[in-house]
Amino acid sequence: VTLLPMRASRQAGVSAPIVLAAVRVLREAGVQIADPEQQAGYVVGALADGVLEQGARALGDPMVGLTVAGRLAPGSLGPLDYVLFTSETWGAALTLVAKYYAVASERVRMTIETRGTETAIVLRRDPPYDANRFWVELSLALIAERARQSLGADWKPLRVDLVHPAAAPQTNHAAWF
């Protein structure tokens, strides 16, 4: 008998508590949406994607990831929020979040990379798993939102570079961040 790792027996997903927190925010905004099925504490990627895609359609919001991120209460990220709000420094917080990012998503890896005087938060999609742009935007927006909550409302990243294009010409990701 060969035992396979849990991940091999199911599709990679997004943390069920985080997806359910997003569902709650969308319901509060008036979206009629069902709770997605969960497996071993995660929502399979396609179902998690469907939550934000349904929210974007229902609200007519091409930046739904940013919208949801701005409305997720502290604590919604579980242990990652604990780390973000209780670490001695913001750098230590981000290092720990990167180390344990699989708690939030099995489809994306987070690293902290320093080049010269700049430090970057980098999210890399794990092939063959595709992550829809709403979750990538939500992830970065949540980190920015938690930074503002921890460090002050005036905090802004030096820049945000996304591999995917903006949702539509009228959207302004830079202004949100």
Side-chain angles (χ1 to χ4, degrees):
V1 173
T2 302
L3 297 176
L4 297 175
M6 185 62 141
R7 186 170 176 175
S9 65
R10 63 177 174 79
Q11 293 179 7
V14 178
S15 162
I18 294 172
V19 175
L20 294 175
V23 167
R24 188 172 48 254
V25 166
L26 292 171
R27 284 182 183 146
E28 290 169 359
V31 177
Q32 293 184 0
I33 189 168
D35 287 348
E37 182 181 329
Q38 303 173 40
Q39 296 178 1
Y42 289 88
V43 174
V44 171
L47 295 177
D49 292 347
V51 166
L52 293 182
E53 289 165 0
Q54 182 179 349
R57 280 191 308 274
L59 298 173
D61 183 357
M63 294 193 337
V64 74
L66 305 181
T67 300
V68 170
R71 295 180 183 164
L72 285 175
S76 299
L77 301 180
L80 297 183
D81 261 346
Y82 179 80
V83 166
L84 287 170
F85 287 118
T86 63
S87 294
E88 188 172 339
T89 67
W90 189 244
L94 290 176
T95 299
L96 284 171
V97 168
K99 182 176 181 179
Y100 296 106
Y101 195 74
V103 169
S105 176
E106 299 173 311
R107 303 184 308 164
V108 175
R109 286 180 300 120
M110 179 179 158
T111 59
I112 307 299
E113 299 177 6
T114 301
R115 293 182 194 110
T117 60
E118 289 188 7
T119 298
I121 299 167
V122 179
L123 296 177
R124 287 191 177 84
R125 296 173 177 171
D126 279 340
Y129 306 112
D130 191 16
N132 99 0
R133 70 177 183 81
F134 294 133
W135 282 108
V136 171
E137 293 171 2
L138 185 144
S139 298
L140 289 171
L142 263 172
I143 291 167
E145 187 67 18
R146 295 306 188 249
R148 290 183 196 107
Q149 292 166 342
S150 296
L151 304 173
D154 293 337
W155 183 90
K156 285 187 176 277
L158 295 176
R159 72 177 186 274
V160 176
D161 298 322
L162 298 169
V163 174
H164 60 269
Q170 74 274 15
T171 61
N172 191 347
H173 287 85
W176 194 95
F177 284 100

